[in-house]
Amino acid sequence: AEPGARAAHRAPSAKRQALSHPVRIFLDANVLFSASKSAGAVRHLLACAEERGHVLCGDDYVVAEAQRNLATKASEGLSALAAIVARIEVARYDPAPAAGEIAALLPEKDRPVLAAAVRLRCDALVTGDRTHFGALYGRSVLGVAVHSPRSLAEAIGLIPPA
């Protein structure tokens, strides 16, 4: 763990105050899948975040998962995924074990996602995986604020807070 880092704490200002400065946003595989599958709200969210100067990030792990899921469930989205991946920062997957703080919070298959967001010094992680990440929505883990697509849209000022 980084000195002075906290495993997970509530970030009360994350939902109420728009992030006006450009932030680094790590995209989970389900966000890449949704943005690739259809030209709906998630694709719009990514486009608007880019237009506002935010940096979209991922790694080989989430890209491969999105590709696998699209290939079996919505192969017509593979070309859209390739276009999205060409526009974002994609880092190599690092198989090193996740920090103890992360291991305590998530199932094994989801640990690499949050670990990559931390490693890539992202300010936010956006994921639609409410089952595994839902308890972390609105919290900061080792400096990364965990958001649903909607709460990210609120945090970067695309929609007013609910």
Side-chain angles (χ1 to χ4, degrees), residues 4-69:
R6 291 181 228 150
H9 69 279
R10 184 69 60 189
S13 62
K15 285 190 174 186
R16 294 187 189 123
Q17 184 177 345
L19 300 170
S20 58
H21 64 284
V23 295
R24 294 177 57 79
I25 303 166
F26 192 89
L27 310 176
D28 193 2
N30 59 64
V31 170
L32 290 170
F33 176 91
S34 296
S36 301
K37 184 178 174 196
S38 70
V42 175
R43 189 180 297 175
H44 181 71
L45 169 63
L46 300 186
C48 289
E50 284 180 294
E51 287 170 11
R52 290 179 178 228
H54 301 294
V55 179
L56 304 181
C57 306
D59 72 354
D60 294 336
Y61 184 84
V62 295
V63 171
E65 183 179 343
Q67 286 172 328
R68 278 192 313 274
N69 291 337

